[in-house]
Amino acid sequence: MKAFMHALPMLGGLAVLWAAPVATQAAADVNTSLEQRVEQLDQELRVLRRQLEIDHEARDAQALADQQKGIKVTHNGRSVKLASYDNAFVFQPIGRVQVDYAHYDADKQQLGDGTAIRRARLGAQGTVFRVWDYKVEYEFSDSKANPAASGIRDAYISYTGFKPVLLTVGNFKEPFSFEQVSSDSALTFLERSLIDVFAPSRHIGAAVQTSGANWSVAGGLFGERPQDDAASEGDEGTDITGRATWAPFWDNGQVLHVGAALRRHDPNDSTNALRFASRPETNITDAQLVDTGVLTGTDHIDSYGLEAAGEWGPWSLQSEYIGTKVNRKSASDVDLNGWYVLTSWFITGESRPYKVSEGVFDRVTPLGVVGQGGIGAWELALRLSQLDLNDGALVGGKERNLTVGLNWHLTPSIKLQANYIKVLDVDRPGRPTDGDEPSAYTVRAQVDF
């Protein structure tokens, strides 16, 4: 035992001598493995860098090739569009021509039959540098029925870089009234209803609009039309306008739409739009059965609109009410109003397309295009409308109309329309048009692109 105890230190020393080379070798092997892994990762990184360089070179080459290709030309069945291959620049010519004829069965006053170029417009719309949209359109028609409509129509630029928020500056439609913000190319009848006298249409201004999956909101500050000017270097009138819409459902020909709009108009030193008068929903005649005359001494005008629409396949229903209060400085305030209800049915089964971003119905595309083996889209429509410009001492007149329409959509851009308009009653005591009940037969040929 003593011998063994004396041998332990010797055995420990031998173990240490044996383990030292082994540990050194293990450490060397670990260092070698790490160096090899680092070298492998470095090689992989160089390969990835080279691949990225190749990808960038390929993209640059493709971009150059696209630029060398010039432009691409597309169409949507209605109009032609020219665009760069990256869609950063887009140019699309637009226009429309509407030719009307009207025959009248006069009652108490003379209404002259005749023809008119209701609209004749040319313009362009598109995009520059990807986020700037523009539209410019000029009206060439100088029809006596609507002389104020000639000249510049749309002329604006919009910034889309904050999508879904859109910023617009220029001359364009104020967001007020379902019928008014709808394109006249997509209207069910030749003319908008009687209550259109309360809608401001286009003015120079700035607006903000946005939309979601089933709603839209728009609002803006506006002045007057490009051709308007307050007398004696006075201040022109101003508008603050807003509209909101909501469609709980709007797909596959099934639509439910509700909306509301507000407008505050301050005339300042201008007298523009301070007269409410309406033709009997036809623009061939100059006769206005109801008319307030110029409302002098007006401080401001407050208007509100309520709207609703529904569509079930080929059937649709649309209604709108507008109330307008004229606040006067030296006379009693007056409350005016109007409404309409319309319904339409596509005999051939089409539906009216709905644009949720604007809260309006769009142009109809026939299931079968005339000239390509189809018979087009045939639509029957009926509208009842009323405008009340009587309140207290103001006797502008109260008119109620019934309109029956037949539309033939030959192609997405060509349409023939026929309307029969019956003035059911005019209530305007003490005026020549009181009790006047004329009728009108009107037709239109339209092409737009």
Side-chain angles (χ1 to χ4, degrees), residues 9 37 79 104 131 147 156 184 197 222 239 313 315 328 354 410 433:
R37 181 58 178 160
S79 59
Y104 298 99
V131 295
Y156 63 81
D184 55 69
V197 298
F222 298 85
D239 274 7
W315 290 92
R328 309 175 78 179
Y354 181 74
L410 290 83
T433 58

PDB file of all heavy atoms in Angstrom, residues 9 37 79 104 131 147 156 184 197 222 239 313 315 328 354 410 433:
ATOM      1  N   PRO A   9       1.730  10.305  -7.152  1.00  0.00           N
ATOM      2  CA  PRO A   9       2.225  11.539  -7.785  1.00  0.00           C
ATOM      3  C   PRO A   9       2.865  11.287  -9.124  1.00  0.00           C
ATOM      4  O   PRO A   9       2.722  12.068 -10.046  1.00  0.00           O
ATOM      5  CB  PRO A   9       3.231  12.084  -6.769  1.00  0.00           C
ATOM      6  CG  PRO A   9       2.784  11.511  -5.469  1.00  0.00           C
ATOM      7  CD  PRO A   9       2.271  10.144  -5.783  1.00  0.00           C
ATOM      8  N   ARG A  37     -15.123  27.410 -41.749  1.00  0.00           N
ATOM      9  CA  ARG A  37     -16.515  27.892 -41.798  1.00  0.00           C
ATOM     10  C   ARG A  37     -16.574  29.358 -42.201  1.00  0.00           C
ATOM     11  O   ARG A  37     -17.440  29.772 -43.001  1.00  0.00           O
ATOM     12  CB  ARG A  37     -17.164  27.702 -40.413  1.00  0.00           C
ATOM     13  CG  ARG A  37     -18.622  28.140 -40.357  1.00  0.00           C
ATOM     14  CD  ARG A  37     -19.453  27.406 -41.368  1.00  0.00           C
ATOM     15  NE  ARG A  37     -20.852  27.786 -41.294  1.00  0.00           N
ATOM     16  CZ  ARG A  37     -21.735  27.598 -42.267  1.00  0.00           C
ATOM     17  NH1 ARG A  37     -21.338  27.010 -43.412  1.00  0.00           N
ATOM     18  NH2 ARG A  37     -22.992  27.971 -42.115  1.00  0.00           N
ATOM     19  N   SER A  79     -62.456  53.363 -75.088  1.00  0.00           N
ATOM     20  CA  SER A  79     -61.478  54.385 -75.441  1.00  0.00           C
ATOM     21  C   SER A  79     -60.080  53.776 -75.470  1.00  0.00           C
ATOM     22  O   SER A  79     -59.832  52.707 -74.918  1.00  0.00           O
ATOM     23  CB  SER A  79     -61.526  55.547 -74.437  1.00  0.00           C
ATOM     24  OG  SER A  79     -61.271  55.077 -73.130  1.00  0.00           O
ATOM     25  N   TYR A 104     -92.700  69.531 -78.888  1.00  0.00           N
ATOM     26  CA  TYR A 104     -93.489  69.891 -77.729  1.00  0.00           C
ATOM     27  C   TYR A 104     -94.978  69.950 -78.065  1.00  0.00           C
ATOM     28  O   TYR A 104     -95.366  70.391 -79.156  1.00  0.00           O
ATOM     29  CB  TYR A 104     -93.060  71.264 -77.192  1.00  0.00           C
ATOM     30  CG  TYR A 104     -91.618  71.305 -76.717  1.00  0.00           C
ATOM     31  CD1 TYR A 104     -90.609  71.819 -77.537  1.00  0.00           C
ATOM     32  CD2 TYR A 104     -91.265  70.821 -75.468  1.00  0.00           C
ATOM     33  CE1 TYR A 104     -89.295  71.853 -77.112  1.00  0.00           C
ATOM     34  CE2 TYR A 104     -89.954  70.850 -75.033  1.00  0.00           C
ATOM     35  CZ  TYR A 104     -88.970  71.367 -75.858  1.00  0.00           C
ATOM     36  OH  TYR A 104     -87.668  71.386 -75.437  1.00  0.00           O
ATOM     37  N   VAL A 131     -47.578  59.630 -59.843  1.00  0.00           N
ATOM     38  CA  VAL A 131     -48.467  60.032 -58.752  1.00  0.00           C
ATOM     39  C   VAL A 131     -49.243  61.316 -59.048  1.00  0.00           C
ATOM     40  O   VAL A 131     -49.921  61.834 -58.161  1.00  0.00           O
ATOM     41  CB  VAL A 131     -47.678  60.196 -57.433  1.00  0.00           C
ATOM     42  CG1 VAL A 131     -47.116  58.871 -56.976  1.00  0.00           C
ATOM     43  CG2 VAL A 131     -46.584  61.239 -57.584  1.00  0.00           C
ATOM     44  N   PRO A 147     -76.054  78.201 -72.570  1.00  0.00           N
ATOM     45  CA  PRO A 147     -74.843  78.930 -72.968  1.00  0.00           C
ATOM     46  C   PRO A 147     -73.774  78.953 -71.897  1.00  0.00           C
ATOM     47  O   PRO A 147     -72.585  79.061 -72.200  1.00  0.00           O
ATOM     48  CB  PRO A 147     -75.373  80.345 -73.268  1.00  0.00           C
ATOM     49  CG  PRO A 147     -76.640  80.457 -72.469  1.00  0.00           C
ATOM     50  CD  PRO A 147     -77.227  79.075 -72.480  1.00  0.00           C
ATOM     51  N   TYR A 156     -58.068  70.007 -64.037  1.00  0.00           N
ATOM     52  CA  TYR A 156     -57.530  69.832 -62.686  1.00  0.00           C
ATOM     53  C   TYR A 156     -56.346  68.868 -62.681  1.00  0.00           C
ATOM     54  O   TYR A 156     -56.103  68.136 -63.654  1.00  0.00           O
ATOM     55  CB  TYR A 156     -58.619  69.319 -61.735  1.00  0.00           C
ATOM     56  CG  TYR A 156     -59.185  67.956 -62.082  1.00  0.00           C
ATOM     57  CD1 TYR A 156     -58.523  66.782 -61.731  1.00  0.00           C
ATOM     58  CD2 TYR A 156     -60.411  67.837 -62.746  1.00  0.00           C
ATOM     59  CE1 TYR A 156     -59.044  65.544 -62.038  1.00  0.00           C
ATOM     60  CE2 TYR A 156     -60.938  66.606 -63.059  1.00  0.00           C
ATOM     61  CZ  TYR A 156     -60.260  65.450 -62.695  1.00  0.00           C
ATOM     62  OH  TYR A 156     -60.781  64.223 -63.005  1.00  0.00           O
ATOM     63  N   ASP A 184     -72.719  62.806 -67.166  1.00  0.00           N
ATOM     64  CA  ASP A 184     -73.906  62.932 -68.012  1.00  0.00           C
ATOM     65  C   ASP A 184     -73.958  61.839 -69.077  1.00  0.00           C
ATOM     66  O   ASP A 184     -75.014  61.579 -69.648  1.00  0.00           O
ATOM     67  CB  ASP A 184     -73.959  64.317 -68.657  1.00  0.00           C
ATOM     68  CG  ASP A 184     -72.699  64.657 -69.429  1.00  0.00           C
ATOM     69  OD1 ASP A 184     -72.449  64.054 -70.474  1.00  0.00           O
ATOM     70  OD2 ASP A 184     -71.944  65.535 -68.955  1.00  0.00           O
ATOM     71  N   VAL A 197     -81.248  72.255 -60.083  1.00  0.00           N
ATOM     72  CA  VAL A 197     -81.026  73.698 -59.917  1.00  0.00           C
ATOM     73  C   VAL A 197     -80.312  73.998 -58.597  1.00  0.00           C
ATOM     74  O   VAL A 197     -79.690  75.062 -58.456  1.00  0.00           O
ATOM     75  CB  VAL A 197     -82.354  74.480 -59.969  1.00  0.00           C
ATOM     76  CG1 VAL A 197     -83.023  74.309 -61.318  1.00  0.00           C
ATOM     77  CG2 VAL A 197     -83.293  74.054 -58.847  1.00  0.00           C
ATOM     78  N   PHE A 222     -64.416  75.945 -52.597  1.00  0.00           N
ATOM     79  CA  PHE A 222     -64.514  76.328 -54.000  1.00  0.00           C
ATOM     80  C   PHE A 222     -64.844  77.809 -54.154  1.00  0.00           C
ATOM     81  O   PHE A 222     -65.452  78.430 -53.268  1.00  0.00           O
ATOM     82  CB  PHE A 222     -65.605  75.506 -54.699  1.00  0.00           C
ATOM     83  CG  PHE A 222     -65.340  74.027 -54.704  1.00  0.00           C
ATOM     84  CD1 PHE A 222     -65.703  73.248 -53.618  1.00  0.00           C
ATOM     85  CD2 PHE A 222     -64.720  73.421 -55.786  1.00  0.00           C
ATOM     86  CE1 PHE A 222     -65.460  71.882 -53.615  1.00  0.00           C
ATOM     87  CE2 PHE A 222     -64.470  72.065 -55.788  1.00  0.00           C
ATOM     88  CZ  PHE A 222     -64.840  71.296 -54.688  1.00  0.00           C
ATOM     89  N   ASP A 239     -67.830  78.463 -51.791  1.00  0.00           N
ATOM     90  CA  ASP A 239     -68.586  77.286 -51.367  1.00  0.00           C
ATOM     91  C   ASP A 239     -67.730  76.420 -50.456  1.00  0.00           C
ATOM     92  O   ASP A 239     -66.526  76.258 -50.694  1.00  0.00           O
ATOM     93  CB  ASP A 239     -68.982  76.422 -52.574  1.00  0.00           C
ATOM     94  CG  ASP A 239     -70.275  76.878 -53.207  1.00  0.00           C
ATOM     95  OD1 ASP A 239     -70.799  77.927 -52.807  1.00  0.00           O
ATOM     96  OD2 ASP A 239     -70.763  76.168 -54.113  1.00  0.00           O
ATOM     97  N   GLY A 313     -79.986  43.033 -59.772  1.00  0.00           N
ATOM     98  CA  GLY A 313     -79.845  42.548 -61.140  1.00  0.00           C
ATOM     99  C   GLY A 313     -80.216  43.634 -62.138  1.00  0.00           C
ATOM    100  O   GLY A 313     -79.672  44.745 -62.107  1.00  0.00           O
ATOM    101  N   TRP A 315     -82.944  45.373 -62.261  1.00  0.00           N
ATOM    102  CA  TRP A 315     -83.809  46.396 -61.678  1.00  0.00           C
ATOM    103  C   TRP A 315     -82.997  47.361 -60.814  1.00  0.00           C
ATOM    104  O   TRP A 315     -82.112  46.942 -60.075  1.00  0.00           O
ATOM    105  CB  TRP A 315     -84.890  45.772 -60.803  1.00  0.00           C
ATOM    106  CG  TRP A 315     -85.935  45.013 -61.558  1.00  0.00           C
ATOM    107  CD1 TRP A 315     -85.927  43.671 -61.852  1.00  0.00           C
ATOM    108  CD2 TRP A 315     -87.130  45.542 -62.126  1.00  0.00           C
ATOM    109  NE1 TRP A 315     -87.046  43.341 -62.557  1.00  0.00           N
ATOM    110  CE2 TRP A 315     -87.808  44.466 -62.749  1.00  0.00           C
ATOM    111  CE3 TRP A 315     -87.699  46.820 -62.169  1.00  0.00           C
ATOM    112  CZ2 TRP A 315     -89.021  44.626 -63.405  1.00  0.00           C
ATOM    113  CZ3 TRP A 315     -88.911  46.986 -62.821  1.00  0.00           C
ATOM    114  CH2 TRP A 315     -89.561  45.902 -63.426  1.00  0.00           C
ATOM    115  N   ARG A 328     -81.478  85.696 -45.962  1.00  0.00           N
ATOM    116  CA  ARG A 328     -81.461  87.007 -46.600  1.00  0.00           C
ATOM    117  C   ARG A 328     -81.245  88.111 -45.571  1.00  0.00           C
ATOM    118  O   ARG A 328     -81.648  88.007 -44.408  1.00  0.00           O
ATOM    119  CB  ARG A 328     -82.758  87.229 -47.367  1.00  0.00           C
ATOM    120  CG  ARG A 328     -83.080  86.059 -48.307  1.00  0.00           C
ATOM    121  CD  ARG A 328     -84.404  86.197 -48.995  1.00  0.00           C
ATOM    122  NE  ARG A 328     -84.347  87.137 -50.102  1.00  0.00           N
ATOM    123  CZ  ARG A 328     -85.385  87.426 -50.879  1.00  0.00           C
ATOM    124  NH1 ARG A 328     -86.555  86.856 -50.659  1.00  0.00           N
ATOM    125  NH2 ARG A 328     -85.260  88.292 -51.868  1.00  0.00           N
ATOM    126  N   TYR A 354     -71.519  49.957 -60.417  1.00  0.00           N
ATOM    127  CA  TYR A 354     -71.445  50.884 -59.295  1.00  0.00           C
ATOM    128  C   TYR A 354     -69.983  51.155 -58.955  1.00  0.00           C
ATOM    129  O   TYR A 354     -69.185  50.227 -58.826  1.00  0.00           O
ATOM    130  CB  TYR A 354     -72.163  50.295 -58.080  1.00  0.00           C
ATOM    131  CG  TYR A 354     -72.169  51.195 -56.863  1.00  0.00           C
ATOM    132  CD1 TYR A 354     -72.992  52.312 -56.803  1.00  0.00           C
ATOM    133  CD2 TYR A 354     -71.341  50.921 -55.772  1.00  0.00           C
ATOM    134  CE1 TYR A 354     -73.010  53.145 -55.688  1.00  0.00           C
ATOM    135  CE2 TYR A 354     -71.359  51.746 -54.648  1.00  0.00           C
ATOM    136  CZ  TYR A 354     -72.186  52.852 -54.611  1.00  0.00           C
ATOM    137  OH  TYR A 354     -72.182  53.668 -53.510  1.00  0.00           O
ATOM    138  N   LEU A 410     -76.068  50.606 -77.628  1.00  0.00           N
ATOM    139  CA  LEU A 410     -75.591  49.757 -78.720  1.00  0.00           C
ATOM    140  C   LEU A 410     -74.220  49.168 -78.412  1.00  0.00           C
ATOM    141  O   LEU A 410     -73.949  48.007 -78.725  1.00  0.00           O
ATOM    142  CB  LEU A 410     -75.532  50.551 -80.031  1.00  0.00           C
ATOM    143  CG  LEU A 410     -76.872  50.936 -80.661  1.00  0.00           C
ATOM    144  CD1 LEU A 410     -77.447  52.196 -80.027  1.00  0.00           C
ATOM    145  CD2 LEU A 410     -76.709  51.143 -82.174  1.00  0.00           C
ATOM    146  N   THR A 433     -97.490  81.007 -66.149  1.00  0.00           N
ATOM    147  CA  THR A 433     -97.283  79.558 -66.243  1.00  0.00           C
ATOM    148  C   THR A 433     -98.099  78.778 -65.213  1.00  0.00           C
ATOM    149  O   THR A 433     -98.010  77.548 -65.166  1.00  0.00           O
ATOM    150  CB  THR A 433     -95.786  79.217 -66.049  1.00  0.00           C
ATOM    151  OG1 THR A 433     -95.344  79.712 -64.774  1.00  0.00           O
ATOM    152  CG2 THR A 433     -94.958  79.806 -67.167  1.00  0.00           C
TER     153      THR A 433
END
